[in-house]
Structure formats: structure tokens, C-alpha cells
């Protein structure tokens, strides 16, 4: 198991409802809460904070680079990344410029996680054809990587005007802006990441994480066959989670907002609404939800890393529509001051 395991948080910046009044939290107030959460994550020693990208009423993360730039001004150490940038619906030139600028503002703490996204609102919003879902992403990823590796680019493709000896600035502070490939459960995506030698971020929203091991092995084998060194083939996971003083309290606090969010998504997609029984099963010992007291969550993080052959990072998704802000701050504090040290100590002992 790798002894380098970064632990952080991802947020979709849910619009939020005040559980005391039942009224929506104003968007400006919610943004201030979010910046307070990121500042606290930095203070308590967490390694990363990621902001998702959605283009729908219930989330406020349509412009993640802007949110992360505001966070950069309020933090000193924590790494700031997208989670994920919907590259299929954006211009790779602009994506690179935004995150290179973030890298300068943060003194080298920016990273990109790019993917195709699990929602489709961005396609009609930006005049794109959903039938081009795969080709858009393949082409735009190719261009983004060329821009990352070269200040002057010549390139042509189907979905964008060609570039001829075009300089693309600014350049980031880091010599090579980190770009991770965000994936779900499609084998082709794992092979693509391995072949390109890109670090891999797996979104695991349910089930049992150890079942992804064959796909992780496929990624590592594809990377090996393409000639990439093993240390370059990093794997991370994005998992739902929440930390409380007791496991029961954490489970009870997180469930209402989780159920409300997924009831809406399930209705849109024609799936059954989530149940408390399913939720409790998924937060069990082998399940994908990292929910519990600090010792429980630390043990599960270590078990997930071991089952997948050693992870480079774990990002806990704590987005919740109904959770009081004070409880979110307490969970962040516990994750940074209790969970992360337990994980780091266990890995240090294992290495010794």
C-alpha cells in the first residue's frame, strides 16, 4: 500500500436549506459558508479541496475556477482542484488559462480533474450535441494535454477552430499543471487514463469500492504497456462521507440531506428513491459511504486503499442540502484533526 495518501474534501456547493426555518439559504450566504469550510480545511491540515461543476438550480458550482480563486486568497497550504471540470462542454484553451491563473494566485496549489460529467445540462446550454458526447471529450482532452505541455500549439479537430503556432498564456507556476482523469465505471475510460499516463480519479457513489479493483488493475496494466512508470499511475477515489462524534450521530445527521438530493436525481432518471436501509447498508464495513466516528472512517479509508492496491488520494464528498453549517464545520475539523492523523500514522507504521 502506498504511504502517500492525500485526504481531502469535494463539494458540489448545494444551494442549501436552513433546517431550522425550512427556508433556502441565500446564494451569497452559501458562498461565504463554503469559503469558511475551505479555510477551515486548510487550517486543520487537510490536503485537498475540490469544487464540482454543475449547471442546474440546486448547485452553485457553475464556475469552479472562480470559487477556487476566492479560496486561494483565504488559504495557505491546501491544494485546490476541480471535481470535475466538464471538459466536453468547455473550451480547453479557456480551461487551461483559468487553472493556470489559479495556479499563479495560489502559488502552485492548483490541479484539474477533468471528465465528461454525469449530468447533461451543459450540452444544450453551450450549443453542443449530446450525440457527440464521446468525441467531444476525446478531442478536447487531446488539446488540453497539448496546451499543458507546450506554450505554442498547432492543432486541428472536428469540434473547435484550429490553432496554428498559437501561444497560450499565462503559464502556471508549476512546471506541469496536474491533470487527473475523472472516471465512473467504464473500462474504456480506465484504459484511456493508463495509456495517456494520467492519474485516475474514480467516482464511487455506491456499492462496494473493492469491486473496482479489476478496473484499477486494467488502468495500471494499460499504463505499463504504454511505458509509463508505476509511480506516475496514481489512483484516487471520490466517495460520499461524513464524520461525527459517534457513528450513529454521523449517519443520522447526514441522511436527510443525502436522501433529499438523491430523491430528486432518482426521479429525474427514473430510478427508485433511496431508502434508509440502502443507505445504512452502504455505510457498512465494505460499503462506499465513509460515514461514522473518526476511528470508523479512518479504518474504512485504509481498507479502501488496500483493496484497490494503494491509493494516492481520497476525496470525501460531504455535499448536503439540509446539514446545519456548524455540523459541517465540525465534520471538517474531525476529518482533519482526527481521521487524517490516524490514517497517516497507520501508513507510516505499515511502511516501517
Amino acid at each position: 500500500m502506498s504511504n502517500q495518501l492525500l485526504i481531502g474534501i469535494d463539494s458540489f456547493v448545494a444551494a442549501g436549506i436552513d433546517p431550522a426555518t425550512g427556508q433556502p439559504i441565500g446564494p451569497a450566504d452559501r458562498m461565504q459558508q463554503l469559503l469558511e469550510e475551505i479555510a477551515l480545511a486548510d487550517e486543520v491540515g487537510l490536503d485537498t479541496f475540490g469544487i464540482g461543476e454543475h449547471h442546474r438550480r440546486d448547485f452553485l458550482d457553475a464556475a469552479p475556477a472562480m470559487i477556487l480563486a476566492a479560496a486561494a486568497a483565504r488559504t495557505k497550504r491546501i491544494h485546490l482542484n476541480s471535481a470535475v471540470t466538464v471538459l466536453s462542454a468547455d473550451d480547453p484553451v479557456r480551461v487551461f488559462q483559468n487553472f493556470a491563473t489559479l495556479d499563479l494566485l495560489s502559488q502552485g496549489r492548483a490541479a484539474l480533474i477533468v471528465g465528461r460529467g454525469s449530468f447533461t445540462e451543459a450540452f444544450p446550454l453551450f450549443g453542443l450535441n449530446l450525440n457527440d458526447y464521446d468525441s467531444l471529450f476525446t478531442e478536447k482532452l487531446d488539446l488540453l494535454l497539448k496546451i499543458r505541455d507546450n506554450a505554442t500549439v498547432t492543432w486541428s479537430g472536428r469540434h473547435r477552430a484550429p490553432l496554428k503556432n498559437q501561444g497560450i498564456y499565462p503559464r502556471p507556476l508549476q512546471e506541469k499543471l496536474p491533470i487527473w482523469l475523472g472516471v465512473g465505471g467504464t473500462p474504456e475510460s480506465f484504459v484511456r487514463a493508463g495509456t495517456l499516463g494520467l492519474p485516475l480519479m474514480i467516482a464511487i457513489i455506491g456499492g462496494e469500492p473493492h469491486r473496482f479493483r479489476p478496473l484499477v488493475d486494467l488502468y495500471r496494466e494499460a499504463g505499463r504497456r504504454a511505458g509509463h512508470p508505476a509511480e506516475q499511475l496514481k489512483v484516487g477515489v471520490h466517495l460520499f462521507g461524513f464524520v461525527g462524534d459517534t457513528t450513529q450521530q454521523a449517519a443520522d445527521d447526514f441522511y436527510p440531506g443525502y436522501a433529499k438530493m438523491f430523491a430528486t436525481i432518482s426521479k429525474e432518471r427514473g430510478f427508485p428513491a433511496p431508502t434508509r436501509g440502502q443507505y445504512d447498508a452502504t455505510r457498512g464495513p465494505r460499503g462506499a459511504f465513509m460515514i461514522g466516528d473518526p476511528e470508523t472512517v479512518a479504518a474504512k479509508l485504509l481498507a479502501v486503499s488496500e483493496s484497490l492496491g494503494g491509493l494516492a488520494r481520497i476525496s470525501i464528498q460531504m455535499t448536503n442540502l439540509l446539514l446545519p453549517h456548524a455540523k459541517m464545520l465540525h465534520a471538517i475539523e474531525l476529518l482533519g484533526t482526527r481521521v487524517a492523523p490516524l490514517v497517516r500514522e497507520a501508513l507510516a507504521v505499515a511502511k516501517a
Side-chain angles (χ1 to χ4, degrees), residues 135-154:
S135 64
L136 278 165
F137 183 74
T138 301
E139 182 175 293
K140 292 185 176 189
L141 179 60
D142 176 64
L143 176 54
L144 180 64
L145 294 176
K146 282 185 168 56
I147 296 168
R148 192 265 301 268
D149 295 339
N150 305 277
T152 302
V153 174
T154 296

Side-chain angles (χ1 to χ4, degrees), residues 38-62:
I38 300 173
L40 179 60
D42 185 45
E43 290 170 16
V44 299
L46 289 170
D47 299 301
T48 65
F49 205 106
I51 300 294
E53 180 189 339
H54 299 83
H55 301 272
R56 48 190 292 137
R57 178 181 298 183
D58 32 355
F59 300 115
L60 301 174
D61 59 351

Side-chain angles (χ1 to χ4, degrees), residues 39 42-43 71-80 106-107 109:
D42 185 45
E43 290 170 16
R74 296 184 55 160
T75 56
K76 296 179 180 178
R77 192 193 63 86
I78 197 166
H79 288 256
L80 303 167
S106 66
Q107 294 289 301
R109 294 184 282 130

Side-chain angles (χ1 to χ4, degrees), residues 151-174:
T152 302
V153 174
T154 296
W155 178 92
S156 64
R158 276 183 55 206
H159 300 289
R160 189 200 186 282
L163 299 169
K164 185 174 182 180
N165 294 324
Q166 185 71 52
I168 297 172
Y169 302 100
R171 307 306 295 181
L173 180 62
Q174 296 177 81

